[in-house]
Amino acid sequence: MHTVTKRSPSYGSGVSRHFTDTTTWRAFIASSPARSTAVFSLFLFLLAGAFLTSRLLDATSLITGNAAARPVVNSVTSHILPHRPPETLDKSRKKIEIPLNCTAYNLTRSCPANYPSTFELEKDPNRPSTPMCPDYFRWIHEDLKPWARTGITKDMVEKARRTANFRLVILNGKAYVETYEKGFQTRDVFTIWGILQLLRRYPGKVPDLELMFDCVDWPVIRSQLYRGPNVTGPPPLFRYCGNDATLDIVFPDWSFWGWPEINIKPWEALLEDLKEGNRRTKWVDREPYAYWKGNPEVAKTRQDLLKCNVSEKQDWNARVYAQNWGKESQEGYKQSNLASQCMHRYKIYIEGSAWSVSEKYILACDSVTLIVKPHYYDFFTRGLLPVHHYWPIREDSKCKSIKFAVDWGNSHKKKAQEIGKAASSFIHDDLKMDLVYDYMFHLLNGYAKLLTYKPTIPEKATELCSEAMACEAQGLVKKFMLDSLVKGPRDSDPCNLPPPFDPVSLFSLRRRKENSVKQVETWESMYYDNQHRQD
């Protein structure tokens, strides 16, 4: 069994941000990077000026007799509260909580009828304005574009049944599921659980819809079969990943609510563990090598990675370990704690048989993530930028590429740390659980708007709710469900969905990513050519 797999910067940042000065690159070849303290001195000067200015403003307020009415600094630019906060700031609105009622469920064997079907936010002038969603949400528009002109018909949905594990229907805020084939392990269970939590989070806001979900890794809706003037629209099929040759609709994977088979906690709790793991060892104090641990048996490319391990003849700067999940389970997962694996400056991400959920755990570590050329994407990875969030690794010469990346990073520690921190900030800020739910919300809303028919409850479908799933669950499955249970409606709206890409900006983004990877490959070739000349 394998580990399946701060806001994104503007598209003008990234490689240009880190490497606009070619002197830096030449300095790496010559191993003599330059340093400067001018920026730090300027920062101290500005900080002192800001302090003196704020004291002057305060003194002026006292002289004019308006100390109580005037804040210390302008409210537009400051996060500092007035000396005497308004009374409204002291009043905290009590959140509505809807407990999991297993006692009633066990008596009736039916889902509660009293869960709110609507939830209106109270008018609050002090509530912050709704923020914009991260840029990777723009890919929702791209994933739904194949049906923008035709809409989604009942026939299209039925054609997606061919490989689906289950059909989901949402009507009036309630969920109905028709199962066709059990998903691997508990993939289907925790995917459905996650959708039920979305309904608890935003009652009455998720529209009526019907969809097919495939829990297998590989995308199957091939885009080339649906080109041309006379072809019908493609079947809309939801799954966890996609690639450039397919039209499958990507959706957050099951592990965000827990993966009991390999003891991986729900995402919200795990993120806190990963933060603590990052604090244990500073980047400069970590092992100066690239680390990977996983199941190599699932893919030839992973077996090839094992050749990069250190040996008596060669050190490729990689420390690679095969993970035996059967043995690990028997020994209580003592060697697979993700928060304890942030001990190296560099961590390798490599796909398995397809995409791997391990990517988010690796990116969260403050380490420089070395990504072996990927062929698949999930819902958030299209927001990652080469050299800004990660370092690209060649697929056909992994060992040499890894060695170069580590040598470069150890010679440019400041820039390497910036890359590692950009990735972990992306994960901790832009992939927190609130935003995972908001992504689901906007994707399902956009999808529902495309349906050309009114969904109905399938004859063989079962109504599901949190009680129906959690009350009868056992062991880690039950624990993870309770740990990830949404306690009640959210007291704010989802983030605002950004607009779709225009053709020029989308082309520019893709070209920029390609050029960034090619630039790194050029630097790598120069590095080894220089070594050969020295030999």
Side-chain angles (χ1 to χ4, degrees), residues 56-355:
L56 180 59
L57 286 171
D58 193 29
T60 303
S61 298
L62 291 171
I63 293 170
T64 58
N66 294 326
R70 183 176 299 178
V72 176
V73 287
N74 189 294
S75 61
V76 175
T77 59
S78 174
H79 298 288
I80 303 173
L81 291 173
H83 284 307
R84 303 174 71 177
E87 289 185 7
T88 53
L89 296 179
D90 295 330
K91 295 180 181 179
S92 57
R93 178 186 170 200
K94 188 176 181 180
K95 288 188 176 182
I96 298 175
E97 290 195 4
I98 311 296
L100 195 71
N101 194 342
C102 287
T103 302
Y105 177 79
N106 290 335
L107 289 173
T108 64
R109 314 301 294 177
S110 60
C111 292
N114 61 344
Y115 192 79
S117 58
T118 61
F119 181 72
E120 296 296 330
L121 296 176
E122 293 182 4
K123 294 182 179 181
D124 184 357
N126 297 302
R127 181 184 291 117
S129 59
T130 305
M132 186 68 71
C133 305
D135 258 9
Y136 68 84
F137 279 56
R138 301 176 78 180
W139 290 98
I140 291 174
H141 304 290
E142 293 300 311
D143 287 349
L144 298 178
K145 185 179 286 186
W147 302 275
R149 182 177 57 84
T150 63
I152 298 173
T153 65
K154 178 72 173 178
D155 184 58
M156 292 177 184
V157 173
E158 290 299 331
K159 287 180 179 178
R161 176 177 173 171
R162 183 174 60 87
T163 64
N165 289 93
F166 64 86
R167 180 201 305 262
L168 169 74
V169 173
I170 296 176
L171 284 178
N172 301 318
K174 296 182 178 182
Y176 304 86
V177 175
E178 181 181 15
T179 300
Y180 303 122
E181 184 176 351
K182 183 70 183 71
F184 178 67
Q185 296 182 339
T186 50
R187 292 186 177 198
D188 52 345
V189 172
F190 278 93
T191 298
I192 295 169
W193 174 259
I195 295 170
L196 294 178
Q197 302 320 297
L198 177 69
L199 297 179
R200 287 174 66 92
R201 183 182 180 88
Y202 293 126
K205 293 185 178 181
V206 180
D208 296 349
L209 58 85
E210 178 178 28
L211 62 82
M212 298 288 182
F213 206 108
D214 188 339
C215 299
V216 178
D217 288 346
W218 309 280
V220 297
I221 309 300
R222 298 168 60 190
S223 57
Q224 66 177 12
L225 300 178
Y226 301 96
R227 294 172 182 162
N230 298 320
V231 297
T232 59
L237 182 62
F238 285 71
R239 69 175 348 99
Y240 309 121
C241 73
N243 61 24
D244 292 340
T246 56
L247 299 174
D248 301 60
I249 303 170
V250 294
F251 193 83
D253 71 80
W254 74 96
S255 68
F256 283 99
W257 297 273
W259 192 353
E261 288 81 6
I262 58 174
N263 198 38
I264 290 181
K265 298 178 182 179
W267 184 234
E268 196 164 26
L270 183 55
L271 267 184
E272 292 303 314
D273 290 350
L274 290 167
K275 286 181 182 178
E276 179 58 34
N278 280 338
R279 287 192 287 264
R280 288 176 199 160
T281 310
K282 294 181 180 179
W283 188 91
V284 293
D285 297 328
R286 298 183 183 185
E287 294 291 325
Y289 305 108
Y291 173 90
W292 180 82
K293 190 173 187 177
N295 183 1
E297 301 302 322
V298 297
K300 185 177 179 180
T301 186
R302 288 191 174 185
Q303 295 170 18
D304 192 43
L305 178 64
L306 294 180
K307 299 174 185 178
C308 304
N309 218 341
V310 62
S311 66
E312 294 180 358
K313 297 181 179 180
Q314 181 68 51
D315 188 352
W316 296 109
N317 290 333
R319 302 296 182 262
V320 182
Y321 304 90
Q323 176 73 69
N324 184 328
W325 283 111
K327 181 180 178 181
E328 188 63 18
S329 175
Q330 295 174 0
E331 296 178 354
Y333 303 99
K334 295 178 181 179
Q335 304 301 318
S336 59
N337 187 315
L338 294 171
S340 299
Q341 295 184 18
C342 298
M343 301 298 293
H344 294 74
R345 294 179 181 175
Y346 312 88
K347 295 194 71 175
I348 301 168
Y349 168 74
I350 184 169
E351 293 176 338
S353 55
W355 138 98

Side-chain angles (χ1 to χ4, degrees), residues 507-523:
F507 176 82
S508 176
L509 173 61
R510 287 171 168 159
R511 175 61 62 88
R512 184 202 157 200
K513 288 183 176 182
E514 292 171 1
N515 290 342
S516 298
V517 173
K518 290 177 181 178
Q519 183 66 79
V520 170
E521 292 176 351
T522 299
W523 291 333

